Amino acid sequence: SKFFNILCAPGSVVVNDFYALPGTVRDHVCIIKDDLSNLAACLLSAIDLSSPESVNARREIVRAKHSWRSCIAQVIHFFDPK
């Protein structure tokens, strides 16, 4: 999905708190409130969230939890839980 492509891009990610936002990425994105009351705080935290370490951590979560490989592995494990 485009959302996961954006999560793998360099820089910080600013999103609204939408229904399907995975809990695994919440600590790695700036979640802006619908009324924009935390806009200034999000812009300040975006600096930290765009560091190479933060971007790499976000990418690793996407690869480990939200890639096709991890999805297929979960399905296989469900049917063959060895």
Side-chain angles (χ1 to χ4, degrees):
S1 120
K2 292 176 188 167
F3 176 69
F4 294 108
N5 287 342
I6 290 169
L7 288 174
C8 289
S12 58
V13 177
V14 178
V15 296
N16 65 327
D17 194 6
F18 61 94
Y19 177 72
L21 182 61
T24 54
V25 299
R26 285 183 172 272
D27 291 340
H28 301 277
V29 299
C30 185
I31 302 170
I32 196 154
K33 294 181 180 180
D34 289 337
D35 64 0
L36 303 178
S37 61
N38 66 335
L39 178 60
C42 274
L43 293 177
L44 289 174
S45 71
I47 295 167
D48 293 332
L49 292 172
S50 63
S51 72
E53 297 82 15
S54 293
V55 172
N56 287 335
R58 194 175 65 222
R59 287 175 178 161
E60 286 304 314
I61 289 170
V62 171
R63 286 185 194 111
K65 303 283 185 184
H66 304 289
S67 67
W68 280 112
R69 175 176 286 177
S70 66
C71 178
I72 291 168
Q74 290 176 28
V75 171
I76 290 170
H77 179 72
F78 177 80
F79 290 109
D80 188 19
K82 291 181 187 176

